[in-house]
Amino acid sequence: MKKLVTYLSTLALTSFITMDALAQINTITGLVVNHINNESLSAVSVTVKGSEAGTFTDDRGNFKISVNQKLPVTLIISSVGFALQEIEVANAAQTVTINLEPTNSLGQEVVVSASRVPQKILESPVSIERLSAANIRNAPAANFYDVISTLKGVDVTTSSLTFKTPTTRGFGGSGNTRFNQLVDGMDNQAPGLNFSVGAIIGLNELDVDNIELLLGASSALYGSGGMNGTLLMTSKNPFKYQGLSFTVKEGIMHTDGSERSPSPYHNWALRWGVKVSDKFAFKITTELIQAKDWIGTDYRDYDRSNGKLKAGTRATDPNYDGVNVFGDETTADIRQVLNGVAGQAPFLAPFISTLTRQPINISRTGYTEQQIIDPNTVNFKLGASFHYKITPGTEAILAAYWGTGNTIYTGASRYSIKDFKMGQYKLELNNKNWMVRAYTTQENAGESYNLAATTQNFNETWKPSGGSTGWYAQYGQAFLAAKLGGATDVDAHTAARATADVGRPVVGTPEFNDIYNRVRKIPVPKGGALLDRTNLYAAEGSYDLSSVTKSVADIVVGGNYKRYVLNSQGTLFADTAGTIGINEMGAFIQASRAITNSVKITASARYDKNQNFKGRFTPRITAVFKVAENSNIRLSYQTAYRFPSTQMQWINLDLVSYKLIGGNEAFRNIYHFDTNPAYDRDSLKAGKTVLQNFTTLKPEAISSFEAGYKSLIMDSKLLLDIYGYYGQYTNFLTRKVVVQSRTGSPISPADADTGQIYSVPVNSTSKVKTYGFGIGLDYKLSRNYSASVNAASDNLTDVPTNFIASFNSPKYKVNATFANSGFGKNNRVGFAVAYRWQDTFYFQGDLANGNLPAVQTVDAQVSYKLPKTKSIIKLGANNLLNQYYYNAVGNSRIGGLYYLSFGYNVY
């Protein structure tokens, strides 16, 4: 009986406690709207004061939150651009309507990348720029990547419509290994081809939450490669951003018909985010871009032997080598043919001797880029992520980004990136105090090919250059016949080329297409194909120890590991014997402390090791001085480094006219530099023999000092940001051209042109210096008007003679924007006009060197909002005035793109 009473008593008590606990769970529902226009607000944070409970409003402004405590409770409602509000809820049965008051958020945006912990951008210890989803939405750019070019200090190299590479503080180019790009924490660089593909795979415009840009040295926190800056793109979390959104963008390009007939531009994007429960959410994203691409039309004559442009055309220069003409890189001196005739017909020898006193270099007839490249650019992206909250403060994320398409890239040649595929897949655990992430990058070059190598081998296929009946034999014999007939040199060369070109396939014919398609699929050097299948495997983590160490300092620690597996089957790397593995690892620690209410010091240190190089230690120390409310001075000493890239270590690319090789010591044996030395080519051309000593390649490093001032003035309507920097490179990595005897005989001046030419990576023994400044003004006017202007300058000095620095940055550049985010009836109309100017500068690239003219462009858009569906209709133009420009020698010329778009559920 006693046991029964005890049992019943326990059961009753348990039921009472359970009922009491259930009684504590209250579900509060509500709606958040804009106080000014009564429009619902999405992605607004709603948290319960004093607890971990929280949620976000959905795409219609509604929220639902379960509270495991007695009422009343206080809700904290916050959103960027609106004043924080607290509201007490005493009755869960009633729907709560909350009106948020818009406020000026200038300088109050929160950034994470500057110190790996959240802080106001106004208080950042280093120079940083930020773009929000609203900035991107209101910009006139057709692609969000173009908006990056409006940021202070940014240069963008445009190889083609979908291939754009941003950088800061110099070294612009299609593949910039001094600048990191991270998408949701993943290195976005193609591990084998060494270019970042943020515009090809990764996020679409609808899924971009924010973009943060660190200008200058950033290796101390982000590892190798952050010499000149780091770009971090963060996607939208489906717990916060919910619902179905899409954009349809239709436009027109090539409107003047100067390059090709006017053609359509299509850009369709979709994002679907679903919060299934308080614990599980997912999103799916996709985007399709299709257009007829911009093309390179630089037909200037290029002196490849001396690396400079020269006067001449195909009609006036028998050795013509057009920048965007391919196949004409093959060249030979026809004196060998003429002297052969003299030997067989001695009676002609006296006359022939008058023709052969100087070299007679002749190039094969090439094809223009427009003739041989597929103009159809396609880019398809697909992404998905699944989010699970293990606890209210710990979230697991499984994410995948995959993309494929065709585009054009500029490297040692122009490359048709055809059927390129790349995927990034990650598993991540996030907590407010720690993070662990593992991901892989899987690269597949598809049917990508080198235009120069393909077209040179195409010419060899339809008519070989050598032999008694080859192209040069026919050319030389026809040239001699014309000269014997009294023709001028120009007429004789014209006649000789016409003879040698007999049988040359005509572009577009079945014969041409059959040969060209066969050759482009054959791996280099016998064809043009690149078979790169290089992969990257990475893991990293960090821990914020501040909750434990805050009495001393706020401390963050972290580490990472990377493994590259090079796999090109000998077409790009020296990996004919099998894949090549490269391991890297590193760790960092950062400590920050507020010395006084006005001074905060942050110090960090990082150590990294690559298996092929000695370890690198990179410290950083910063200080922020609060001189007045919303006014801060920042000082920093930063160091950064980069290990030589995978290509700089192991590339082995035969470009027919020369070989682009890596700096690994294995190449000394591969090309027998120990028994058949190489010599500096420029010195040899000047009659001097300077032996090239192949020393061990070292990581490049920079020490940089920076001072800046950021202030919010004029009643918090004007944000002023100024910075200046000075840096010094040690072991500066660059390339140098050397030459080796083809026969193994002692080197001679003639080998400068006839020997085996190599482009090799080297370290400069001199201290190369860089310096520059930037200034930005952002002004919030009344009635939703805004204006901004920024200017920057970057410079590089003390580069040794004969070193190819490829700094590639204009001395001065300016951006200006004038916009309104809402005016007219119910503030539904908006517009933006953006102007960019950059100075002329000398461009150095593997394809060609030369002066670039100054560039100025105007982008503009006008838009109309449809509040009921949160939709926007936008009419816009990139390069409104259709002033064609290019920002690298040999790159595509970029004209006007005019579009009309409809975005559903986009704000």
Side-chain angles (χ1 to χ4, degrees):
M1 183 68 179
K2 184 178 180 180
K3 289 184 178 181
L4 178 60
V5 171
T6 302
Y7 174 78
L8 292 175
S9 299
T10 303
L11 180 61
L13 181 61
T14 303
S15 300
F16 176 80
I17 293 172
T18 304
M19 290 175 64
D20 184 68
L22 290 172
Q24 301 288 329
I25 299 177
N26 296 286
T27 300
I28 301 170
T29 60
L31 173 68
V32 181
V33 298
N34 187 323
H35 176 70
I36 299 299
N37 53 27
N38 209 41
E39 291 182 8
S40 61
L41 298 174
S42 61
V44 176
S45 172
V46 181
T47 60
V48 178
K49 192 172 185 178
S51 80
E52 288 188 339
T55 189
F56 295 96
T57 58
D58 63 16
D59 56 329
R60 293 295 177 260
N62 300 306
F63 71 87
K64 180 190 294 185
I65 187 168
S66 297
V67 181
N68 190 19
Q69 63 188 80
K70 291 182 179 180
L71 299 180
V73 296
T74 300
L75 300 183
I76 301 175
I77 299 92
S78 62
S79 182
V80 175
F82 294 89
L84 184 143
Q85 189 174 142
E86 294 187 7
I87 184 171
E88 184 177 279
V89 178
N91 186 357
Q94 294 182 349
T95 299
V96 181
T97 300
I98 301 165
N99 292 274
L100 287 189
E101 190 73 35
T103 187
N104 181 16
S105 61
L106 199 62
Q108 306 305 307
E109 302 95 332
V110 174
V111 294
V112 178
S113 59
S115 302
R116 282 191 177 255
V117 292
Q119 60 192 164
K120 289 183 180 180
I121 194 171
L122 197 65
E123 300 168 354
S124 170
V126 293
S127 295
I128 187 171
E129 301 285 322
R130 186 181 190 275
L131 288 171
S132 67
N135 296 141
I136 295 170
R137 185 170 60 245
N138 296 329
N143 186 293
F144 79 86
Y145 236 67
D146 293 324
V147 186
I148 297 170
S149 66
T150 66
L151 298 176
K152 178 169 64 267
V154 173
D155 296 314
V156 174
T157 301
T158 305
S159 291
S160 54
L161 178 67
T162 58
F163 202 111
K164 300 171 184 182
T165 307
T167 189
T168 61
R169 302 188 179 177
F171 302 100
S174 296
N176 183 359
T177 53
R178 288 183 174 90
F179 186 84
N180 287 331
Q181 289 191 51
L182 306 178
V183 175
D184 281 345
M186 297 182 289
D187 186 345
N188 192 240
Q189 185 177 115
L193 297 179
N194 281 177
F195 50 68
S196 290
V197 290
I200 300 175
I201 77 161
L203 311 184
N204 69 31
E205 179 180 322
L206 296 171
D207 197 35
V208 177
D209 187 5
N210 65 80
I211 298 174
E212 294 182 15
L213 172 66
L214 286 171
L215 292 86
S218 54
S219 291
L221 293 181
Y222 295 98
S224 176
M227 301 285 292
N228 290 73
T230 296
L231 183 72
L232 301 99
M233 291 177 274
T234 303
S235 68
K236 294 178 177 177
N237 189 306
F239 279 113
K240 181 176 181 180
Y241 297 94
Q242 303 161 35
L244 176 69
S245 303
F246 67 82
T247 58
V248 176
K249 205 171 287 182
E250 294 292 318
I252 187 170
M253 301 166 57
H254 311 288
T255 54
D256 61 357
S258 61
E259 292 183 348
R260 51 172 112 252
S261 300
S263 60
Y265 167 83
H266 310 286
N267 185 343
W268 306 333
L270 179 144
R271 179 186 186 275
W272 184 36
V274 179
K275 178 184 174 183
V276 179
S277 68
D278 288 340
K279 283 186 171 291
F280 180 66
F282 70 88
K283 67 178 178 183
I284 297 172
T285 63
T286 187
E287 181 178 25
L288 174 66
I289 298 175
Q290 191 277 322
K292 296 290 190 293
D293 213 330
W294 310 113
I295 55 173
T297 57
D298 190 344
Y299 303 134
R300 290 177 295 177
D301 200 357
Y302 191 66
D303 181 355
R304 202 163 298 277
S305 176
N306 294 301
K308 62 183 181 180
L309 295 164
K310 62 178 181 178
T313 64
R314 171 48 76 202
T316 62
D317 181 8
N319 200 36
Y320 171 78
D321 184 356
V323 174
N324 287 121
V325 180
F326 303 96
D328 55 2
E329 297 85 359
T330 302
T331 182
D333 186 348
I334 63 168
R335 288 183 299 175
Q336 182 177 356
V337 175
L338 299 179
N339 290 332
V341 174
Q344 295 177 350
F347 64 93
L348 292 177
F351 179 76
I352 291 174
S353 67
T354 65
L355 303 177
T356 57
R357 292 167 184 167
Q358 297 293 330
I360 311 175
N361 293 318
I362 307 298
S363 63
R364 292 286 301 256
T365 308
Y367 295 86
T368 67
E369 180 174 314
Q370 187 175 24
Q371 291 175 317
I372 59 177
I373 204 162
D374 182 358
N376 189 40
T377 282
V378 177
N379 178 208
F380 176 70
K381 301 177 187 177
L382 185 64
S385 67
F386 303 91
H387 300 240
Y388 183 77
K389 289 190 176 181
I390 300 171
T391 69
T394 303
E395 184 175 332
I397 303 170
L398 179 64
Y401 297 107
W402 182 85
T404 184
N406 305 336
T407 188
I408 307 169
Y409 166 72
T410 307
S413 175
R414 291 278 274 176
Y415 293 84
S416 175
I417 306 299
K418 186 176 178 62
D419 295 334
F420 174 84
K421 300 175 182 67
M422 185 166 135
Q424 292 196 288
Y425 313 96
K426 77 166 181 175
L427 177 62
E428 180 174 308
L429 292 176
N430 266 325
N431 183 278
K432 66 178 181 178
N433 293 324
W434 53 267
M435 176 277 297
V436 178
R437 176 189 300 124
Y439 68 91
T440 180
T441 302
Q442 304 285 308
E443 175 189 329
N444 185 335
E447 293 187 7
S448 299
Y449 62 95
N450 179 317
L451 266 64
T454 298
T455 313
Q456 286 179 275
N457 285 302
F458 169 88
N459 278 340
E460 298 300 324
T461 300
W462 73 264
K463 184 178 288 186
S465 294
S468 59
T469 60
W471 193 91
Y472 280 106
Q474 293 179 11
Y475 189 108
Q477 293 164 11
F479 174 76
L480 177 60
K483 291 298 293 180
L484 287 170
T488 64
D489 283 353
V490 172
D491 289 341
H493 281 299
T494 301
R497 186 168 298 277
T499 299
D501 278 346
V502 169
R504 180 171 179 258
V506 177
V507 174
T509 62
E511 179 190 13
F512 178 94
N513 293 338
D514 177 63
I515 298 174
Y516 196 83
N517 286 330
R518 275 193 289 112
V519 172
R520 71 172 177 83
K521 295 178 181 179
I522 299 171
V524 293
K526 295 183 179 180
L530 300 176
L531 305 179
D532 192 39
R533 305 289 189 275
T534 296
N535 298 324
L536 167 67
Y537 303 90
E540 60 182 311
S542 64
Y543 203 109
D544 187 346
L545 301 170
S546 302
S547 59
V548 178
T549 64
K550 59 184 177 182
S551 61
V552 179
D554 294 329
I555 296 178
V556 179
V557 297
N560 75 293
Y561 168 81
K562 287 183 176 180
R563 176 170 174 78
Y564 297 90
V565 180
L566 311 186
N567 180 14
S568 73
Q569 300 176 44
T571 64
L572 180 62
F573 300 109
D575 59 349
T576 52
T579 61
I580 299 173
I582 302 175
N583 297 322
E584 286 184 15
M585 60 186 66
F588 74 90
I589 181 171
Q590 174 181 274
S592 60
R593 181 179 175 86
I595 306 302
T596 69
N597 291 333
S598 302
V599 181
K600 185 175 184 179
I601 305 293
T602 303
S604 61
R606 183 182 182 96
Y607 180 81
D608 287 272
K609 180 71 175 71
N610 180 296
Q611 71 178 64
N612 296 324
F613 305 96
K614 292 181 179 179
R616 295 295 306 179
F617 176 70
T618 49
R620 180 181 91 157
I621 184 167
T622 66
V624 177
F625 302 88
K626 184 178 180 180
V627 295
E629 189 65 27
N630 290 328
S631 294
N632 298 297
I633 293 175
R634 62 184 185 271
L635 301 174
S636 67
Y637 167 73
Q638 302 187 74
T639 56
Y641 74 97
R642 66 171 180 134
F643 291 121
S645 66
T646 54
Q647 287 194 17
M648 194 162 274
Q649 291 183 55
W650 283 104
I651 194 170
N652 190 30
L653 185 60
D654 190 334
L655 295 167
V656 184
S657 54
Y658 74 100
K659 292 183 179 181
L660 191 66
I661 66 174
N664 190 279
E665 294 181 5
F667 285 98
R668 302 177 196 179
N669 296 323
I670 293 173
Y671 291 110
H672 308 292
F673 292 133
D674 52 341
T675 57
N676 185 13
Y679 295 82
D680 179 76
R681 186 168 182 248
D682 287 334
S683 298
L684 194 62
K685 291 174 73 68
K688 301 177 182 178
T689 54
V690 178
L691 180 69
Q692 176 62 37
N693 292 314
F694 289 94
T695 57
T696 301
L697 209 59
K698 300 175 183 177
E700 178 182 280
I702 185 174
S703 299
S704 177
F705 298 87
E706 181 174 324
Y709 175 70
K710 188 170 285 188
S711 180
L712 200 55
I713 56 180
M714 296 179 62
D715 196 25
S716 298
K717 292 181 179 178
L718 178 64
L719 180 64
L720 169 66
D721 186 19
I722 304 173
Y723 68 79
Y725 71 92
Y726 170 83
Q728 184 170 271
Y729 289 93
T730 55
N731 296 319
F732 185 76
L733 281 166
T734 182
R735 281 194 169 272
K736 193 174 184 181
V737 179
V738 300
V739 64
Q740 180 189 53
S741 169
R742 290 185 184 273
T743 63
S745 303
I747 202 74
S748 68
D751 286 321
D753 294 318
T754 61
Q756 177 59 62
I757 299 170
Y758 302 91
S759 172
V760 298
V762 293
N763 291 110
S764 168
T765 56
S766 304
K767 303 267 187 198
V768 178
K769 300 175 182 65
T770 182
Y771 63 91
F773 69 86
I775 180 171
L777 296 167
D778 293 284
Y779 188 39
K780 295 292 185 184
L781 296 88
S782 60
R783 298 183 180 181
N784 298 322
Y785 285 94
S786 64
S788 66
V789 62
N790 64 66
S793 176
D794 301 295
N795 303 270
L796 190 74
T797 62
D798 297 342
V799 179
T801 305
N802 298 340
F803 277 59
I804 304 169
S806 301
F807 185 64
N808 299 341
S809 181
K811 187 171 184 179
Y812 301 108
K813 48 200 169 241
V814 176
N815 291 291
T817 302
F818 182 60
N820 188 297
S821 59
F823 66 95
K825 185 178 180 181
N826 297 324
N827 290 336
R828 293 189 178 188
V829 183
F831 75 87
V833 179
Y835 170 80
R836 178 174 176 82
W837 171 85
Q838 69 176 41
D839 202 1
T840 182
F841 67 96
Y842 187 76
F843 184 90
Q844 291 180 307
D846 289 333
L847 173 63
N849 309 319
N851 287 310
L852 296 182
V855 172
Q856 56 181 342
T857 60
V858 177
D859 299 340
Q861 66 89 4
V862 60
S863 59
Y864 186 78
K865 296 178 181 176
L866 304 173
K868 287 187 178 180
T869 57
K870 292 183 172 292
S871 302
I872 296 179
I873 300 173
K874 183 189 291 187
L875 178 65
N878 290 168
N879 194 358
L880 175 67
L881 304 180
N882 201 33
Q883 297 181 329
Y884 281 81
Y885 70 90
Y886 56 99
N887 44 34
V889 178
N891 270 8
S892 299
R893 295 177 69 243
I894 312 301
L897 167 58
Y898 309 91
Y899 65 89
L900 177 66
S901 72
F902 173 76
Y904 171 78
N905 196 24
V906 293
Y907 71 93

